[in-house]
Amino acid sequence: MPSPCSLLPKLTADGSYTFFSTEFGEAYHSQFGARQEAEFKFVEPTQLRQKARQQKSLRLLDVCYGLGYNTAAALTAIWDVNPNCDVEVVGLELDPTVPQAAIAHNLLNDWSPLVPQLTQLATTHQLTTDRLQAKLLLGDARQSIQTLQASGFQADAVFLDPFSPPTCPQLWTVEFLGYVARCMHSSGILATYSCAASVRAALQTAGLKIGSTSPVGRRSPGTVASWNDLALPPLSQEEREHLQTRAAIPYRDPQLCDSAEIICQRRIQEQQTSPLEPTSRWRKRRSKNAN
């Protein structure tokens, strides 16, 4: 793993910074704005401000805690509307040097009142104050989520923020997302930046209803999911059609231990034998009809 000092800040369009992962070949956030992404892809879709006005306590599950932006934005939003709300945060993170580097480079100063608490969380991986209980579960999230589910944890909001599905398919599989779903309260909401049909299909296979969030800084929308769809923005006709193509064949990892290469190859093989319409053919047909 890299040292915290070896991760160099990269400026995004809204003036906030992110890091670039050489292991995954991707930045941790959109180039259009790291701070903006935390707020509009995760905090707003999970309706945390509304929940904080109605509830005395909230539980958050931050899958791929990373720099800590999603948690920081969520805590700020919650305590802005209800300073007395008790919050429990569980973050799943593979690489502890990432949150440590964010602290070392002062990247959390946009949420400056939280810096002391988030510094302790990044350093000791646990924190208890009068209104916040937080811990980071380090290592492979596929194992951590099983332990968390067995403990009975039920989240009011889930931030699903791994690297992209082709790059990190391990955390977008039917099996992993099934465990994530079982860690959600009956009224909980999951939010992710991804609109991939494979991800949406996996969430549906886990028993969740899905909706589409507005694009933020890019053409693609995000996805929200919950156990009921009463408060979810609906999918467009095009998005519903996309889920009937081979793109919607999800990633699978039956024993939650396979490599990215094996998981991707398994999906390719399933796509090749699927009776579903090839996605490329659907796109051509849709484009032709549009003209």
Side-chain angles (χ1 to χ4, degrees):
M1 289 184 181
S3 70
C5 295
S6 69
L7 288 164
L8 299 178
K10 178 181 178 182
L11 184 66
T12 67
D14 68 357
S16 59
Y17 289 83
T18 189
F19 292 134
F20 184 83
S21 169
T22 54
E23 178 182 356
F24 290 96
E26 293 181 2
Y28 281 80
H29 299 90
S30 162
Q31 63 177 329
F32 297 103
R35 182 180 61 242
Q36 176 179 265
E37 189 172 276
E39 177 68 28
F40 294 109
K41 284 290 189 185
F42 295 98
V43 175
E44 286 296 328
T46 51
Q47 304 176 18
L48 282 174
R49 288 181 177 84
Q50 297 93 310
K51 288 176 180 287
R53 291 188 182 99
Q54 301 165 357
Q55 299 178 212
K56 295 180 179 179
S57 63
L58 288 169
R59 282 178 155 184
L60 314 179
L61 173 57
D62 194 345
V63 180
C64 297
Y65 179 86
L67 286 74
Y69 285 6
N70 295 338
T71 288
L75 293 175
T76 299
I78 291 167
W79 289 331
D80 274 350
V81 300
N82 183 358
N84 298 314
C85 188
D86 293 323
V87 184
E88 181 179 357
V89 177
V90 175
L92 310 185
E93 177 54 45
L94 179 65
D95 185 354
T97 67
V98 177
Q100 291 166 7
I103 297 296
H105 288 290
N106 300 311
L107 300 189
L108 290 162
N109 285 355
D110 284 334
W111 303 281
S112 55
L114 296 173
V115 168
Q117 295 100 307
L118 296 177
T119 298
Q120 182 178 334
L121 183 59
T123 305
T124 66
H125 312 139
Q126 56 185 358
L127 168 69
T128 301
T129 70
D130 57 346
R131 59 177 182 171
L132 175 62
Q133 182 179 337
K135 61 183 176 182
L136 292 182
L137 301 181
L138 301 175
D140 191 329
R142 293 177 291 181
Q143 275 65 63
S144 301
I145 196 68
Q146 296 179 63
T147 302
L148 187 64
Q149 191 266 329
S151 76
F153 184 85
Q154 296 278 277
D156 297 286
V158 177
F159 309 140
L160 181 62
D161 200 12
F163 289 107
S164 67
T167 303
C168 185
Q170 303 96 308
L171 302 188
W172 301 99
T173 65
V174 167
E175 293 78 14
F176 179 75
L177 294 180
Y179 273 101
V180 171
R182 291 192 289 275
C183 288
M184 290 173 60
H185 189 272
S186 59
S187 62
I189 300 175
L190 175 151
T192 181
Y193 67 87
S194 178
C195 65
S198 60
V199 172
R200 290 177 165 181
L203 291 168
Q204 289 178 319
T205 301
L208 298 174
K209 311 297 184 182
I210 62 171
S212 185
T213 59
S214 300
V216 178
R218 65 175 93 187
R219 290 176 56 194
S220 303
T223 302
V224 283
S226 68
W227 290 111
N228 68 77
D229 59 1
L230 295 180
L232 299 182
L235 300 182
S236 67
Q237 176 65 27
E238 182 178 1
E239 288 173 310
R240 292 195 298 272
E241 288 181 13
H242 196 204
L243 286 170
Q244 303 304 314
T245 73
R246 292 184 185 180
I249 292 177
Y251 295 93
R252 297 182 185 276
D253 182 13
Q255 304 304 318
L256 288 169
C257 62
D258 285 335
S259 68
E261 292 76 16
I262 290 175
I263 294 169
C264 286
Q265 187 58 43
R266 179 182 290 121
R267 179 171 181 260
I268 290 170
Q269 291 173 349
E270 189 173 349
Q271 286 178 312
Q272 289 172 342
T273 59
S274 171
L276 293 174
E277 181 178 21
T279 309
S280 58
R281 185 190 303 166
W282 167 73
R283 291 193 190 282
K284 289 178 182 177
R285 178 167 53 80
R286 185 174 180 83
S287 177
K288 182 178 180 181
N289 291 341
N291 295 329

